[in-house]
Amino acid sequence: REMDANDSRLMQAAGLVTGETRMETRGKARARIKAAEAKILLDVSMLSMTLFPPEIVDSSIRLVRMDDNAIATIAPSLFRLPITLFSAHHNNLSVLPSAIGRLTALVSLNLSFNFLSELPSSISRLLSLRTLLLASNHLEEAPLAIAALPILRALDLSTNPIKRLPPQFSALVDLEYLFFTAAALSSL
């Protein structure tokens, strides 16, 4: 039997090579599509929210965007999810719960343009974190917990009144991008 149009599209979408049986190819294509669909995005950006409704938390959520709202606290239920991307820039966050340390699969965290004056030490448990964006907060000191992030590649602390970086930051050997634009640095 020849491949129908759906089988052909599945193979093309999955980028599979020829030479495999059609059943093997279809199975791989479906597995790849299912894996992509598993990356569920919860986007509640720009909804003028002041609270994050905990009832919308679902265990299939992997990516969370709650940007450009007026959220002051993050629902604890959110920290029980296997989130890989969390973005809450342009909100009213002044405190980050220590439960943030439970997000061990987190790869990217954007908390820029909030009112954070410190980060909890539990940030050091985010061992998969590669990008940490904290621009335009109220951080007067660079949080020491950041120095414990072994694969951090991008760190934005710009537009914070940070005067110096702690010597522990020399442990960030994978760091490729460090932003301090308009910061109050007096020494590195």
Side-chain angles (χ1 to χ4, degrees):
R1 174 179 154 233
E2 291 189 30
M3 284 191 292
D4 61 20
N6 286 337
D7 288 340
S8 178
R9 275 187 296 226
L10 278 174
M11 287 176 49
Q12 288 174 345
L16 298 170
V17 295
T18 58
E20 300 175 328
T21 69
R22 192 176 72 210
M23 291 304 284
E24 290 172 334
T25 302
R26 287 171 71 188
K28 285 183 180 180
R30 286 196 173 103
R32 287 184 185 181
I33 291 168
K34 186 175 181 176
E37 289 171 346
K39 302 267 184 203
I40 302 294
L41 168 64
L42 171 64
D43 191 344
V44 292
S45 298
M46 299 189 301
L47 296 177
S48 301
M49 294 172 55
T50 55
L51 283 174
F52 181 83
E55 63 273 7
I56 64 174
V57 173
D58 180 290
S59 62
S60 62
I61 295 171
R62 301 292 180 269
L63 314 169
V64 176
R65 296 185 61 96
M66 56 174 65
D67 307 321
D68 299 298
N69 284 299
I71 298 171
T73 59
I74 301 169
S77 55
L78 205 56
F79 300 118
R80 293 187 200 109
L81 301 176
I83 297 171
T84 57
L85 177 139
F86 183 74
S87 184
H89 66 76
H90 287 90
N91 275 288
N92 292 331
L93 297 172
S94 59
V95 175
L96 191 61
S98 63
I100 188 89
R102 292 186 194 149
L103 299 178
T104 56
L106 197 63
V107 174
S108 179
L109 177 59
N110 186 351
L111 297 171
S112 295
F113 297 93
N114 278 288
F115 300 95
L116 298 170
S117 57
E118 62 182 7
L119 294 181
S121 62
S122 62
I123 283 284
S124 65
R125 293 196 301 256
L126 304 179
L127 301 180
S128 299
L129 198 63
R130 294 169 112 6
T131 302
L132 179 57
L133 308 176
L134 298 167
S136 296
N137 275 286
H138 296 157
L139 299 168
E140 292 185 11
E141 295 181 7
L144 286 177
I146 293 173
L149 302 174
I151 60 171
L152 191 66
R153 295 183 67 169
L155 174 61
D156 187 353
L157 294 170
S158 61
T159 323
N160 279 290
I162 296 171
K163 293 187 176 46
R164 64 183 174 85
L165 286 178
Q168 293 87 337
F169 271 42
S170 63
L172 297 171
V173 294
D174 285 347
L175 195 64
E176 294 178 16
Y177 305 99
L178 177 60
F179 300 99
F180 274 108
T181 321
L185 277 182
S186 61
S187 65
L188 281 174

